[in-house]
Amino acid sequence: MIIISNAPFDPGALLTEFQNNHPEAGAAVTFTGMVRSTPERPITALILECYPDLAQNEIAAIRTAAIARFNLIDAAILHRYGRLVPGEPIMQVMTLAPHRQAAFDGAQYLMDYLKTDAPFWKQEETETGTEWVEAKTADDTARDRWR
Amino acid sequence: MIIISNAPFDPGALLTEFQNNHPEAGAAVTFTGMVRSTPERPITALILECYPDLAQNEIAAIRTAAIARFNLIDAAILHRYGRLVPGEPIMQVMTLAPHRQAAFDGAQYLMDYLKTDAPFWKQEETETGTEWVEAKTADDTARDRWR
Amino acid sequence: MKILYFAWLRERLNRASDDVTPPAEVRTLNDLITWLRANDEALDLAMANPKQFKLSKNARIVPWETEITDADTIAILPPMTGG
Amino acid sequence: MKILYFAWLRERLNRASDDVTPPAEVRTLNDLITWLRANDEALDLAMANPKQFKLSKNARIVPWETEITDADTIAILPPMTGG
């Protein structure tokens, strides 16, 4: 399952739906990314821009690669775009595997590739205006460990 | 939150409850362990024995150590005991952190220690009887990487 | 040929897309970017560090060496910050 | 002193617990296990590979060198297989 959407989602409901009907699965790992606002850097919203057609294709390719590499039983990715307020879930990745290490590795692999290869761009909205979030070289490093 | 219980639980509902009201959290990782039955090794049930007082204390200690080590905002562990059928969730670990790597590392740390240091014992029930699950030395190895 | 711009590149150019007709010698994405930059000062400036951009052709990320035709939709993608 | 047995150890001994009164020279868990094994052939056999067992005192896992008293509840724990 791949969902690119500007509608809010319920992380728990998504997990429940994903896990059902797989008696051969022993382990599920779920990653949820949320909009963060801290006292040091308070933001009023996060605005995500997206190229939906490309997002769909690239995420599908990353998902297929993860399933093959870690022998996953299933993997699902949901990513939102649009304007999100602090605390709101931005995206969720879920993996299902016979055992825990494959489920953890698969989820981390998906996250590392999504960070650098999925066409989304974040803008932070504060009291004083909006600012594009800069890409982190740490994200490239995280992705490159899988090469 | 630590729950040691013989009652079924809903992984998704637990996740939704756990994630709420933490605007400073950017990442949540959830691990769910389920009863597994495969065509090669079909089981009718998994029966978990537990020493509840010790489980409560040891899991609390593991949780406190994980929160301190990875600067987690929160961590929760639920572990069932009793008779569970294939597909049923056995346990769930959830971590909440500012960023993704701490959330992933915290969840793996909790899992690795729970596997070797939480007083639960699994018995597989098949058509022909029951059999105690043997502890894996791989679990000791996984735990020891954190030392 | 359709060219799409995203995020801060779109903002700096003040438009989300262009329709262009490059000359026949523009065969690859590399050629296209060189030609676009030569004809657009704002784009040239915004792409001063070209290696940070990924390019897509018909909604797939492809290498800069990829051949293109007039029927393709090309996107110029600043470093991504999703996830 | 209360002794608790779990999982396959409980099954092999055919009981979940014992109430025992060890002699005064039994000061540590190490001493206790030695004394229990000397007085119970089934336990002695089941614990032939003693290092695989963890021990708890009053619901906390503690080293085998830990001192104990008559008021303590001790558990002998086969390798755990939770998670």
Side-chain angles (χ1 to χ4, degrees):
Chain A
M1 187 192 65
I2 296 170
I3 299 175
I4 315 291
S5 158
N6 66 355
F9 72 96
D10 176 340
L14 209 64
L15 174 59
T16 300
E17 189 192 327
F18 176 71
Q19 278 183 355
N20 278 339
N21 302 315
H22 291 284
E24 75 279 25
V29 167
T30 302
F31 177 88
T32 314
M34 286 93 68
V35 179
R36 213 175 151 241
S37 181
T38 61
E40 304 80 48
R41 171 85 183 148
I43 67 168
T44 51
L46 199 63
I47 300 162
L48 282 106
E49 183 170 329
C50 168
Y51 178 4
D53 289 353
L54 181 58
Q56 187 74 40
N57 290 341
E58 287 301 318
I59 293 175
I62 296 166
R63 175 179 177 273
T64 301
I67 289 173
R69 179 164 180 161
F70 301 102
N71 279 309
L72 303 177
I73 294 165
D74 198 3
I77 298 105
L78 183 151
H79 207 304
R80 285 185 67 187
Y81 58 91
R83 186 178 182 278
L84 285 70
V85 297
E88 265 195 279
I90 305 167
M91 53 92 62
Q92 187 155 301
V93 153
M94 298 178 289
T95 56
L96 207 56
H99 301 291
R100 79 183 187 282
Q101 200 54 54
F104 271 118
D105 289 345
Q108 293 217 55
Y109 176 98
L110 286 170
M111 282 308 303
D112 289 344
Y113 271 91
L114 285 173
K115 281 272 173 190
T116 58
D117 292 20
F120 294 88
W121 296 272
K122 285 177 185 150
Q123 219 174 355
E124 287 182 337
E125 182 193 283
T126 64
E127 301 286 340
T128 56
T130 61
E131 202 175 314
W132 291 101
V133 172
E134 270 198 61
K136 296 194 193 101
T137 52
D139 287 332
D140 289 321
T141 311
R143 180 204 56 208
D144 290 347
R145 69 179 148 162
W146 304 105
R147 291 203 166 151
Chain B
M1 187 191 69
I2 296 171
I3 299 175
I4 316 290
S5 159
N6 67 354
F9 72 96
D10 176 340
L14 209 65
L15 173 59
T16 300
E17 189 191 327
F18 176 71
Q19 279 184 353
N20 279 340
N21 302 316
H22 291 283
E24 74 279 26
V29 168
T30 303
F31 177 88
T32 315
M34 286 92 68
V35 179
R36 211 175 154 242
S37 181
T38 60
E40 303 79 50
R41 172 82 183 153
I43 68 167
T44 51
L46 199 62
I47 300 161
L48 280 106
E49 181 168 330
C50 169
Y51 179 3
D53 291 352
L54 182 59
Q56 187 74 39
N57 291 340
E58 288 301 317
I59 291 175
I62 295 166
R63 176 178 175 274
T64 301
I67 288 174
R69 178 162 182 162
F70 302 102
N71 280 307
L72 302 178
I73 294 166
D74 198 3
I77 298 105
L78 183 152
H79 207 304
R80 286 185 66 186
Y81 58 92
R83 186 178 183 277
L84 285 71
V85 297
E88 265 195 281
I90 304 167
M91 52 93 62
Q92 187 155 302
V93 154
M94 298 178 288
T95 57
L96 208 54
H99 301 291
R100 78 183 187 284
Q101 200 53 55
F104 271 118
D105 288 346
Q108 293 216 56
Y109 176 98
L110 286 170
M111 282 309 303
D112 289 344
Y113 271 91
L114 285 172
K115 282 269 171 191
T116 57
D117 292 19
F120 293 88
W121 296 272
K122 286 177 184 150
Q123 219 174 356
E124 287 182 337
E125 182 193 282
T126 63
E127 300 287 340
T128 55
T130 61
E131 200 174 316
W132 291 100
V133 172
E134 269 198 62
K136 294 194 193 101
T137 53
D139 287 331
D140 290 320
T141 310
R143 182 204 55 210
D144 290 346
R145 69 178 148 161
W146 304 105
R147 290 202 170 150
Chain C
M1 188 182 302
K2 185 129 188 158
I3 318 285
L4 308 177
Y5 309 109
F6 287 94
W8 54 262
L9 182 62
R10 171 182 57 68
E11 276 189 350
R12 287 200 29 196
L13 299 181
N14 235 329
R15 60 188 188 276
S17 67
D18 274 325
D19 277 299
V20 299
T21 312
E25 60 265 31
V26 168
R27 291 213 177 83
T28 68
L29 285 168
N30 245 326
D31 300 338
L32 176 69
I33 298 298
T34 304
W35 180 76
L36 286 170
R37 289 181 67 180
N39 288 282
D40 185 332
E41 207 179 337
L43 183 69
D44 188 44
L45 220 62
M47 293 190 75
N49 181 7
K51 282 190 182 164
Q52 67 175 316
F53 294 88
K54 292 187 175 173
L55 302 174
S56 76
K57 170 182 148 177
N58 303 328
R60 286 309 308 263
I61 293 176
V62 291
W64 283 51
E65 295 72 36
T66 305
E67 296 198 0
I68 49 173
T69 71
D70 274 356
D72 292 331
T73 295
I74 307 303
I76 306 180
L77 311 159
M80 298 159 185
T81 55
Chain D
M1 187 180 307
K2 185 128 186 157
I3 318 284
L4 309 177
Y5 309 109
F6 288 93
W8 54 262
L9 181 62
R10 170 182 57 68
E11 275 190 350
R12 290 217 2 215
L13 299 180
N14 235 330
R15 61 190 186 277
S17 67
D18 274 325
D19 277 300
V20 299
T21 311
E25 61 265 32
V26 169
R27 291 213 176 84
T28 69
L29 284 168
N30 245 326
D31 300 339
L32 176 70
I33 298 298
T34 304
W35 179 75
L36 286 171
R37 289 181 68 179
N39 288 284
D40 184 333
E41 205 178 339
L43 182 67
D44 188 44
L45 220 61
M47 292 191 75
N49 180 9
K51 284 190 179 165
Q52 68 177 313
F53 294 87
K54 293 187 175 172
L55 302 175
S56 77
K57 171 181 147 177
N58 303 329
R60 285 309 308 262
I61 292 174
V62 291
W64 282 51
E65 295 73 36
T66 306
E67 295 198 0
I68 49 172
T69 72
D70 273 357
D72 292 330
T73 296
I74 308 303
I76 307 180
L77 311 159
M80 298 159 186
T81 56

